[in-house]
Amino acid sequence: MLQIVFGIMMGAGLLFGLVQGKGTEVVSAMLSGAGDAVLTVLSMAGGFAFFCGLMGILERAGGMQALARLWRPLLRRLTGGEAGEEAMAYMAMNLSANMLGMGNAATPMGLEAARRLGGKPRAGNALCLFLVINCSSVQLIPTGVIALRTAAGSADPGGILAPTLIASLAATAVGIISCKLMEKRP
């Protein structure tokens, strides 16, 4: 669906540029933008690869279980004991990676947590809550955004730390409260 929306937007932009008599400038800007996108992705790839590797090492070294033990009291209380130990371990790794701003590295753990929380014809309370917390994602260190700002040449790429923390804490709190208000009781 998104490819259709973007295709329509690009086609409309190209058509508008042709109607205005600026077809060469539009094509030049499109190609320049595509080149900039490739350079941005390449500049961020090293950081993402590093953090994905770090998460793999942490998982193999038993860090997953240690994080699960730290998160267990809060996760158990939030999920009402609906989540099993393995699901909580993956939830803990996902939440920890998201807090450190490693969204792409957190995705495999989030998918595994969701798989372990699912298994029913309909999503349960624990899965819904996990998805809301995962999407709101409290950010202690938004490494992805800082990397983007650095790649774009920002004078103060870390200047977003406090606003990001406040906004993500507020979003997570509202999400948890909303989930708890909407929970279906068995």
Side-chain angles (χ1 to χ4, degrees), residues 9 13 19 23 34 42 55 62 66 78 83 91 95 100 109 125 139 159:
M9 288 172 40
V19 169
L42 289 176
M55 295 305 287
L78 286 174
M91 288 169 67
L95 296 174
L100 296 174
M109 274 76 72
N125 293 332
Q139 296 283 301

Side-chain angles (χ1 to χ4, degrees), residues 37-182:
V38 169
L39 290 175
T40 300
V41 167
L42 289 176
S43 69
M44 294 178 64
F48 285 131
F50 171 75
F51 286 119
C52 284
L54 185 64
M55 295 305 287
I57 291 169
L58 185 63
E59 185 176 4
R60 286 192 187 114
M64 189 169 169
Q65 289 76 19
L67 282 172
R69 280 191 298 275
L70 286 173
W71 282 97
R72 186 175 291 125
L74 178 63
L75 291 174
R76 187 167 311 216
R77 184 173 178 117
L78 286 174
T79 62
E82 195 177 317
E85 292 299 317
E86 291 175 348
M88 279 200 294
Y90 282 103
M91 288 169 67
M93 285 294 289
N94 174 269
L95 296 174
S96 298
N98 275 332
M99 287 181 117
L100 296 174
M102 300 181 275
N104 288 357
T107 300
M109 274 76 72
L111 291 172
E112 188 61 28
R115 188 181 72 75
R116 290 173 189 265
L117 288 169
K120 303 174 197 164
R122 294 172 51 144
N125 293 332
L127 178 57
C128 291
L129 180 71
F130 171 65
L131 292 175
V132 166
I133 293 171
N134 184 42
C135 289
S136 63
S137 178
V138 171
Q139 296 283 301
L140 296 176
I141 306 169
T143 54
V145 177
I146 291 172
L148 276 173
R149 288 173 53 97
T150 301
S154 172
D156 185 17
I160 59 162
L161 288 174
T164 301
L165 179 61
I166 292 167
S168 62
L169 278 171
T172 302
V174 168
I176 290 171
I177 291 166
S178 298
C179 276
K180 291 300 179 181
L181 290 173
M182 302 295 285

